[in-house]
Amino acid sequence: MKAIRRLHVRAVLPSALAPLSDLALNLRWSWHPPTLDLFRSIDPARWDKVQHDPGAMLSSLSPQDIDRLRGDADFVASVERAAAGLHTYLTEPRWYQQQSGESADGPLPESIGYFSPEFGIAAALPQYSGGLGILAGDHLKAASDLGVPITGVGLFYKSGYFRQRLNAEGWQQESYPLLDPDDLPLSMLREDDDTPVVIELAMPGGGRLQAHVWRAQVGRVTLLLLDSEVETNDPARRELTNRLYGGGGDQRLEQEMLLGIGGVRAVRAWSRLSGAPEPDVFHTNEGHAGFLGIERISELSTRHGLSFGEAQRAVRAGTVFTTHTPVPAGIDRFGADTIRSHFGGACELPGVPLGELLSLGAETYEGGAEGIFNMAVMGMRLAQRANGVSVLHGEVSRGMFAGLWPGFDRAEVPIGSITNGVHAGTWVDRLVIDLAVRHLGADALRSGEVWSRVGEVPAAELWATKRELREQLVADARARLRKSMKRRGSSPAELGWVEDVLDPDALTIGFARRGATYKRLTLMLRDPERLKRILLDPDRPVQLLIAGKSHPADDTGKALIQDMVRFTDDPEVRRRIVFLPNYDIAMAQRLYPGCDVWLNNPLRPFEACGTSGMKAALNGALNLSIMDGWWDEWFDGQNGWAIPTADGVEDAERRDDLDAAALYDLLESSVVPTFYDRDAAGIPTRWVEMVQHTLGTLGPKVLADRMVQDYTKALYVPAARAGWAVRDADYAGARDLAGYVARVQAHWPHVRIDHVEAEGVGDTPQMGDTVQVHAYLALGELQPADVRAQMIFGRARASDELTDTEVFELTHAESYEGGRHRFTGDLKLARTGSLGWTVRVLPTHERLTGVAELGLIAHP
């Protein structure tokens, strides 16, 4: 029999225990060991049963439990200390507040809106699928620790992503357990009269989409999640937020409309009800949230009377866009007709004409498709600042999106990079933290001094801790494997071998990634017999733990998983290699610390960043990776190994064979011998030296604290100040900039370089000579102050292409009839060799951020 209605009855806590509710609702517990210890102390056995979820722990309390705890003076005192500690954490000045006090060049933003389609905060709140969500969760946690005033905005998925299990043949199967928000660390956003806040969007055919808003508290950061499970919605729209990445076509578009448009409206409601400042900056984490810019244009048009162009300039100034994909296939694209049906007619947002909207997402560049609306392209056009998530990914992104800035060298495409980081409090194991505190002190841990002093930790104790971590992982892996095999049809009597799976003293390699083809899950299987020899070496055994999910619609990825599972099922090797289904936060928190080596072998350069290797490194693992993502940036020859790649080999099969052979070679010749080369005390001294070097050099770099500080300094603060500059005096700056842009765009076709002259160049120019350059420009209706003329000087190749260039500004010298002008500059020859120069003309305005922002350029 099924219930027709569910109720969630919470325990009523007496005043002495009441702070437990606040401690359970604030997700700071997910990275705060003392709070976890407090809840564990209630009942350690029950704590394991509720999977270390404080909310579930409180829900399990009986009246007798409550009476027992209320009468325990030590426990009540612990609750009081924990509550006081949380209050201090939430209110004391932190890094950002110190910056505000020390800033000499102006105020800092009071609030930043951070929009993402998924957030991986804790296993107790499964609202993530993979790296994008985990990154977003780490971003919020680091912002909380630093005091950066971020408000997160996402969607609440009633079924989350999916739970992965394997059938008897090793094929991935998906299940979607329903999540009850009342069972989660969430509270509904309500109006002053206690009715739920309702966010509403117009839909095609006169329909409406309504959503409620759930609030999660992530330390100091508020996270708002919109939920379409509202009784007034029709059945299809009630299911809109049922699954993360669960649909296509109209459903996917409407999810993204709810995230972007509805998300802005949810932030406004939150500010109205809580008194929280309105965001000064809006950060679009990937293109899924790009419609937030459209809603803000509509707001400015209706509330301040701005034209579309004026509102677009104001929105761009305060918007940051982060791209996470290195491949066009990773970008959401919709047919123009689908956009018309959702944004035209009665659905048209006030102040956002359909034609203007379509132009924002149009692929109007070489290689683009007509009739397509590209979410990333819209994101770029609505953000004055954009970035990739590693240095290499920034380069790849500039190539991917170069068509939006024709005529500019790739290096000048206005997409920068901020390399991702990971939240140490979430991902560093307690055993590692305890080791650091024991030898270096808690103050060194808090200050970050721990990284420079890691060499003070005795090698023997570091090595012993790594064994404990391996032992911890082995126990967890055996339990997961036994559960998986039972689900695949094995009886308990058949599973005695599981007790011997893995060895806490063997070299342990981890590989856990999405099942996307480019991540090459099965590269290690290219030569199965050679892999078996490596795994089964009687003197120097190696063991592999594999995990990862494939998108439910990706049968190719599922087939790769099946190939791997079938290999791990082989009785010959199954004690040395296991596939663990349902890769999630809880598994990862055991997997990363327990591994000695983290393996990553994607097709270069398709790994945008790859933060799992960072998490492993923080726990004393060495990376074994293709030079891609963050590893391309920070591999130094001593913190792990770089797998050589067969770049340029067009035959995919041969390329994979070569890359796999390089992987095997590294394992056999370097990784395995280094791990097993022990001193008289049984310690692999060279290995431990590499671990210490990794912790000392990579530790400060891979932290999410560093990442959020970089975002704050390089993007959030400049975006806020640019937004204020165009907003002041009733958006006078936006009106002025929009007028300039419209005028320049209208007249740019008439801008040309008529002639360039050089004086002072003899037959044999010598270093130290001065060359005077004169550029004669036709500007049409534009004035000299509207443009900047530049000479580009550098080494000239045989093709006349300039490299190693320098830029020299030319100044206006003289005007002539017919809109013609002379610009002049002096160049002192300070280099020798084959040199050359050219001249270009660009728009210029005090509120443009760079030479390429408008995508306008004139060459000879």
Side-chain angles (χ1 to χ4, degrees):
M1 226 185 290
K2 290 187 177 181
I4 62 172
R5 185 178 178 188
R6 296 180 62 182
L7 298 174
H8 185 92
V9 180
R10 297 182 184 272
V12 178
L13 297 174
S15 58
L17 303 178
L20 287 172
S21 293
D22 292 334
L23 290 165
L25 277 174
N26 193 312
L27 284 157
R28 184 211 185 199
W29 59 255
S30 67
W31 72 93
H32 190 245
T35 304
L36 293 173
D37 290 343
L38 174 66
F39 281 97
R40 182 182 183 278
S41 71
I42 294 173
D43 185 334
R46 193 186 309 177
W47 179 241
D48 290 337
K49 287 182 180 178
V50 300
Q51 298 179 322
H52 302 179
D53 178 351
M57 192 69 175
L58 290 185
S59 295
S60 75
L61 295 181
S62 67
Q64 293 77 17
D65 292 325
I66 293 172
D67 287 342
R68 172 177 60 84
L69 295 171
R70 179 172 50 186
D72 185 336
D74 289 341
F75 183 79
V76 170
S78 296
V79 171
E80 291 174 353
R81 285 194 298 273
L86 178 60
H87 179 266
T88 299
Y89 174 84
L90 296 176
T91 56
E92 68 181 354
R94 303 186 76 83
W95 173 83
Y96 189 79
Q97 288 67 42
Q98 294 168 1
Q99 304 306 301
S100 181
E102 297 170 1
S103 178
D105 56 351
L108 304 181
E110 290 188 86
S111 176
I112 298 114
Y114 182 89
F115 287 60
S116 178
E118 50 176 303
F119 287 91
I121 308 292
L125 189 62
Q127 299 291 297
Y128 61 94
S129 70
L132 178 67
I134 298 299
L135 180 279
D138 282 8
H139 198 104
L140 296 194
K141 291 181 229 181
S144 173
D145 290 342
L146 294 167
V148 179
I150 281 179
T151 299
V153 182
L155 301 179
F156 175 72
Y157 304 99
K158 185 173 60 178
S159 298
Y161 189 40
F162 68 87
R163 290 187 63 83
Q164 179 196 45
R165 59 182 295 181
L166 304 172
N167 67 14
E169 289 73 40
W171 188 258
Q172 172 181 295
Q173 296 183 317
E174 301 87 28
S175 62
Y176 296 88
L178 295 181
L179 302 173
D180 184 347
D182 289 327
D183 291 335
L184 302 174
L186 299 172
S187 58
M188 184 169 282
L189 186 60
R190 296 182 178 275
E191 299 286 357
D192 292 334
D193 62 3
D194 207 39
T195 59
V197 166
V198 177
I199 305 299
E200 185 171 285
L201 278 70
M203 289 285 124
R208 316 295 293 177
L209 169 61
Q210 294 189 326
H212 290 155
V213 183
W214 295 99
R215 179 170 69 90
Q217 199 60 37
V218 186
R220 299 166 70 117
V221 168
T222 294
L223 171 60
L224 305 174
L225 302 173
L226 289 94
D227 178 7
S228 69
E229 179 64 36
V230 179
E231 291 183 358
T232 51
N233 285 333
D234 62 52
R237 295 211 165 94
R238 288 184 68 169
E239 294 294 311
L240 187 65
T241 59
N242 183 37
R243 296 178 183 178
L244 174 59
Y245 305 139
D250 286 3
Q251 185 183 36
R252 186 66 165 262
L253 175 62
E254 290 174 11
Q255 278 189 345
E256 298 187 353
M257 291 174 65
L258 182 59
L259 174 59
I261 299 169
V264 172
R265 296 175 185 178
V267 169
R268 303 304 186 204
W270 167 245
S271 294
R272 170 174 57 83
L273 293 167
S274 69
E278 299 271 3
D280 297 303
V281 177
F282 286 79
H283 184 172
T284 308
N285 192 39
E286 197 46 271
H288 309 289
F291 288 122
L292 71 85
I294 303 303
E295 171 66 7
R296 293 177 59 218
I297 287 173
S298 181
E299 288 180 335
L300 293 172
S301 298
T302 54
R303 297 178 189 176
H304 298 277
L306 271 62
S307 69
F308 180 88
E310 293 165 346
Q312 181 184 356
R313 292 298 142 189
V315 165
R316 274 180 53 82
T319 300
V320 172
F321 177 78
T322 298
T323 175
H324 288 262
T325 179
V327 290
I331 297 169
D332 279 341
R333 301 162 78 229
F334 301 100
D337 288 343
T338 302
I339 300 296
R340 290 189 185 95
S341 69
H342 283 78
F343 288 93
C347 294
E348 187 170 288
L349 287 173
V352 184
L354 178 60
E356 298 281 13
L357 171 58
L358 286 170
S359 68
L360 288 176
E363 296 182 348
T364 52
Y365 45 80
E366 185 177 351
E370 188 175 352
I372 289 295
F373 188 91
N374 185 307
M375 294 295 290
V377 167
M378 177 179 67
M380 295 288 179
R381 288 174 173 155
L382 286 177
Q384 198 171 44
R385 290 162 181 83
N387 70 286
V389 292
S390 68
V391 169
L392 179 59
H393 181 234
E395 295 175 7
V396 171
S397 298
R398 287 189 286 276
M400 276 180 64
F401 296 103
L404 294 172
W405 295 275
F408 288 90
D409 290 341
R410 181 174 297 187
E412 291 183 311
V413 170
I415 303 174
S417 66
I418 291 180
T419 302
N420 285 343
V422 299
H423 185 249
T426 298
W427 301 111
V428 178
D429 193 271
R430 288 281 292 273
L431 293 173
V432 177
I433 294 172
D434 291 345
L435 177 69
V437 171
R438 194 160 61 244
H439 291 282
L440 305 177
D443 288 343
L445 197 64
R446 282 190 291 268
S447 68
E449 184 186 353
V450 63
W451 307 116
S452 62
R453 295 177 54 198
V454 70
E456 297 175 27
V457 177
E461 292 214 33
L462 178 57
W463 185 239
T465 298
K466 281 304 295 184
R467 190 192 186 281
E468 285 187 78
L469 293 169
R470 255 183 264 119
E471 199 166 35
Q472 189 173 264
L473 171 59
V474 167
D476 187 66
R478 287 174 180 170
R480 291 177 183 275
L481 180 61
R482 184 178 295 105
K483 186 176 181 181
S484 175
M485 295 305 295
K486 286 180 180 179
R487 287 178 171 172
R488 294 179 63 192
S490 296
S491 68
E494 297 174 278
L495 296 178
W497 61 272
V498 173
E499 290 304 318
D500 297 324
V501 165
L502 307 177
D503 178 352
D505 290 309
L507 171 59
T508 303
I509 301 176
F511 181 98
R513 325 208 66 75
R514 284 189 300 111
T517 306
Y518 76 86
K519 293 183 182 283
R520 299 197 292 184
L521 167 67
T522 57
L523 183 72
M524 65 186 77
L525 304 183
R526 298 296 292 189
D527 187 341
E529 293 308 313
R530 190 172 180 186
L531 177 59
K532 286 181 179 181
R533 288 197 299 273
I534 294 171
L535 295 175
L536 301 175
D537 188 306
D539 299 316
R540 304 187 306 180
V542 175
Q543 56 198 19
L544 272 159
L545 290 94
I546 318 293
K549 295 179 177 179
S550 177
H551 188 280
D554 181 8
D555 282 350
T556 301
K558 291 181 182 181
L560 294 176
I561 289 174
Q562 185 179 46
D563 288 344
M564 176 58 69
V565 172
R566 285 174 171 169
F567 184 84
T568 66
D569 283 345
D570 182 348
E572 186 182 3
V573 296
R574 66 187 182 186
R575 288 175 174 79
R576 285 284 175 259
I577 179 169
V578 298
F579 183 91
L580 302 176
N582 206 47
Y583 180 40
D584 63 2
I585 288 175
M587 181 194 293
Q589 288 175 323
R590 284 287 183 262
L591 184 57
Y592 302 140
C595 289
D596 300 295
V597 172
W598 194 257
L599 174 62
N600 188 24
N601 46 229
L603 278 174
R604 189 179 189 273
F606 295 144
E607 186 79 271
C609 186
T611 55
S612 59
M614 296 179 175
K615 298 161 193 163
L618 285 178
N619 286 282
L622 303 177
N623 275 264
L624 171 62
S625 178
I626 297 289
M627 292 288 282
D628 202 3
W630 74 276
W631 192 237
D632 181 75
E633 192 173 333
W634 288 333
F635 169 65
D636 66 5
Q638 301 298 319
N639 51 13
W641 296 269
I643 304 170
T645 53
D647 295 340
V649 174
E650 294 184 5
D651 184 329
E653 291 295 316
R654 182 166 180 268
R655 177 203 60 213
D656 284 356
D657 283 339
L658 292 171
D659 286 358
L663 169 59
Y664 299 139
D665 288 344
L666 266 177
L667 286 170
E668 293 168 336
S669 66
S670 186
V671 180
V672 174
T674 305
F675 182 85
Y676 284 105
D677 182 13
R678 310 292 171 86
D679 65 11
I683 298 171
T685 53
R686 175 57 185 150
W687 188 277
V688 172
E689 287 171 0
M690 292 178 71
V691 169
Q692 291 172 326
H693 175 78
T694 293
L695 290 168
T697 57
L698 283 182
K701 295 178 181 178
V702 302
L703 296 180
D705 281 8
R706 185 273 312 154
M707 172 185 72
V708 172
Q709 288 172 336
D710 287 350
Y711 271 101
T712 299
K713 296 173 183 177
L715 297 176
Y716 294 158
V717 171
R721 291 174 179 170
W724 297 331
V726 297
R727 183 191 67 188
D728 289 347
D730 191 27
Y731 291 92
R735 298 176 200 273
D736 172 67
L737 178 57
Y740 169 80
V741 170
R743 183 162 50 85
V744 168
Q745 288 176 335
H747 295 292
W748 200 258
H750 306 294
V751 173
R752 66 180 185 274
I753 299 172
D754 285 339
H755 181 55
V756 178
E757 293 180 354
E759 297 180 5
V761 183
D763 293 336
T764 55
Q766 296 180 343
M767 191 167 65
D769 289 352
T770 297
V771 180
Q772 188 172 57
V773 176
H774 305 282
Y776 295 87
L777 313 182
L779 301 181
E781 298 296 317
L782 298 179
Q783 299 302 309
D786 293 327
V787 303
R788 62 197 301 183
Q790 296 178 330
M791 178 173 60
I792 313 298
F793 176 76
R795 301 202 176 279
R797 294 179 175 173
S799 62
D800 286 336
E801 182 181 351
L802 294 176
T803 62
D804 191 18
T805 57
E806 300 175 76
V807 178
F808 297 90
E809 297 291 334
L810 305 180
T811 58
H812 180 249
E814 194 172 5
S815 296
Y816 311 103
E817 294 181 355
R820 296 179 70 247
H821 306 269
R822 177 169 62 88
F823 283 70
T824 298
D826 292 337
L827 168 66
K828 186 173 183 178
L829 299 179
R831 290 193 263 177
T832 60
S834 180
L835 306 172
W837 67 76
T838 188
V839 172
R840 67 182 184 182
V841 184
L842 306 163
T844 185
H845 190 281
E846 63 178 347
R847 293 189 177 90
L848 296 178
T849 58
V851 296
E853 181 171 340
L854 298 184
L856 301 175
I857 188 170
H859 288 292

